[in-house]
Amino acid sequence: MKIKVVNRSHHPLPAYATAQSAGMDLRANLDEPVVLHPLERKLIKTGLFIALPEGYEAQVRPRSGLALKHGITVINTPGTIDSDYRGEVGVCLVNLSQDDFVVNDGERIAQMVIARHEQGVFVEVEELDATERGAGGYGHTGVK
């Protein structure tokens, strides 16, 4: 699938690292480093503007290395970029560690996964069909 992109950053376009990668790394496009203090969140711009085909979304997800090593994650994970959005792709990062973290220009800050989606139509009914699980919620299935 081809995705139209305007690249106003000074970095290469996102690309898959391997033939079987699901996500492409997004890079920070900054004029100067950004400090994320503990529990602070900031929108980090990428300089990318995309036009996805109808029926697709881009999911912005954390990079596992940043999460494990530094406690940096995407606060609204996965962030969704709809096919009709034409603004700059931004990443809402949060620092869950106890230390300051510096985001530098060009740093790989998140990954983006392109996914097909459907739109559902709600149909109001008086009751739902019964299932084995029923209304059992969080923790309902227990520990096995």
Side-chain angles (χ1 to χ4, degrees), residues 89-101:
V89 173
V91 178
C92 300
L93 289 183
V94 62
N95 181 354
L96 299 179
S97 78
Q98 298 174 1
D99 302 311
D100 286 351
F101 180 80

Side-chain angles (χ1 to χ4, degrees), residues 43-74:
L43 181 64
I44 307 296
K45 300 289 186 154
T46 65
L48 301 174
F49 301 75
I50 62 175
L52 294 165
E54 187 175 339
Y56 288 85
E57 66 165 327
Q59 299 174 359
V60 178
R61 301 177 181 186
R63 290 193 65 243
S64 57
L66 280 181
L68 178 64
K69 295 174 188 172
H70 303 286
I72 304 301
T73 191
V74 177

